[in-house]
């Protein structure tokens, strides 16, 4: 289970966030606090994997909380939950270790999607050992990337694109268009169209798979 600390000064919003997190399989709420100071105190004695962090807190800015955690040697991942749309804030958030950025107001579906991506990332980097190469690093980090920002041509749906990308996340060795089609219930032509769009947008790579006679099978891997 991935443990989550919720840091939100508005109590109704904090309770809503708690209920949302508890609805997502694989996650549990480690605690709910309402200020930066409370968050720092909690995390010094109650380790958590992830912090759902409001940036505008009554006693300090959420980014100050992140800096204080790093300075104290407390290393947990952070999803910023905020209404801040300032690009300088977003850049600063990345620089202090924020792994996801969720704008208020948001729906359960939006939070669930972020948590699902984080769970994929967390499972790929947890434990000891080493990666085999650059591809393993790329696949781990790609779990945090959002395909929703990819512009789609007419006739293509975001839900199908995300379903295709989701299958690739679960198959680090790559998948063919036929395998993706069978997994999500679409035609091979449709699957290939979405896979080619991911590749063209820089989210996936084409990998020829050599084996038997004839032309090599084309696999797709997320970058």
């Amino acid at each position: 289970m991935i443990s989550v600390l919720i840091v939100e000064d508005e109590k109704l919003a904090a309770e809503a966030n708690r209920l949302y997190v508890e609805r997502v399989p694989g996650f549990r709420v480690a605690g709910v606090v309402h200020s930066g100071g409370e968050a720092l105190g909690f995390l010094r004695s109650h380790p958590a994997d992830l912090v759902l962090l409001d940036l505008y807190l009554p006693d300090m800015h959420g980014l100050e909380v992140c800096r204080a955690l790093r300075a104290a040697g407390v290393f947990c991942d952070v999803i910023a939950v905020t209404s801040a749309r300032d690009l300088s804030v977003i850049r600063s958030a990345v620089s202090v270790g924020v792994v996801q950025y969720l704008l208020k107001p948001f729906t359960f579906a939006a939070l669930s999607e972020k948590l699902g991506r984080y769970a994929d990332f967390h499972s790929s980097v947890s434990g000891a050992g080493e990666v085999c190469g650059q591809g393993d690093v790329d696949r781990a980090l790609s779990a945090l990337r959002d395909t929703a920002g990819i512009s789609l041509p007419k006739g293509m749906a975001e839900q199908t694109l995300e379903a295709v990308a989701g299958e690739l996340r679960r198959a680090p060795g790559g998948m063919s268009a036929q395998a993706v089609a069978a997994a999500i219930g679409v035609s091979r032509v449709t699957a290939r169209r979405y896979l080619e769009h991911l590749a063209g947008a820089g989210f996936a790579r084409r990998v020829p798979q050599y084996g038997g006679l004839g032309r090599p099978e084309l696999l797709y891997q997320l970058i």
Side-chain angles (χ1 to χ4, degrees):
M1 296 288 283
I2 296 173
S3 58
V4 182
L5 173 65
I6 296 169
V7 187
E8 169 62 62
D9 65 314
E10 296 182 9
K11 293 188 176 182
L12 286 178
E15 177 62 12
N17 291 348
R18 183 186 69 79
L19 294 173
Y20 278 175
V21 171
E22 289 181 343
R23 288 174 59 188
V24 181
F27 288 82
R28 69 174 184 86
V29 175
V32 179
V33 297
H34 307 292
S35 70
E38 288 179 325
L40 294 173
F42 184 96
L43 289 168
R44 288 188 184 107
S45 56
H46 302 82
D49 298 306
L50 179 67
V51 181
L52 204 60
L53 178 66
D54 182 20
L55 295 188
Y56 294 121
L57 298 168
D59 57 341
M60 59 196 301
H61 196 279
L63 297 184
E64 293 179 39
V65 176
C66 293
R67 295 187 186 98
L69 289 173
R70 299 301 185 263
V74 178
F75 297 102
C76 52
D77 295 317
V78 176
I79 295 180
V81 180
T82 178
S83 57
R85 288 168 167 78
D86 191 319
L87 288 175
S88 65
V89 175
I90 296 173
R91 288 194 298 270
S92 297
V94 172
S95 72
V96 295
V98 172
V99 298
Q100 298 272 20
Y101 199 96
L102 183 59
L103 286 175
K104 292 181 177 180
F106 57 87
T107 63
F108 168 71
L111 176 59
S112 178
E113 189 265 346
K114 294 291 185 188
L115 293 179
R117 291 183 185 281
Y118 175 76
D120 289 342
F121 167 75
H122 185 268
S123 66
S124 66
V125 298
S126 60
E130 296 181 351
V131 296
C132 293
Q134 184 64 46
D136 292 334
V137 176
D138 291 343
R139 283 187 290 273
L141 295 178
S142 72
L144 296 172
R145 298 180 68 187
D146 191 351
T147 58
I150 302 177
S151 60
L152 292 176
K154 187 174 181 180
M156 295 181 74
E158 287 186 6
Q159 295 92 332
T160 306
L161 182 70
E162 178 51 39
V164 170
E167 291 303 319
L168 294 187
R169 288 190 201 99
R170 288 185 282 273
M175 294 181 71
S176 67
Q178 184 61 49
V180 171
I184 67 173
V186 298
S187 70
R188 181 181 179 279
V189 172
T190 297
R192 183 178 177 83
R193 185 184 181 201
Y194 281 90
L195 289 164
E196 283 295 316
H197 194 69
L198 284 170
F203 277 69
R205 64 165 64 91
R206 305 172 186 89
V207 182
Q209 182 72 29
Y210 297 92
L213 299 175
R215 296 176 60 184
E217 184 179 32
L218 194 61
L219 302 184
Y220 295 83
Q221 292 178 335
L222 280 188
I223 298 174

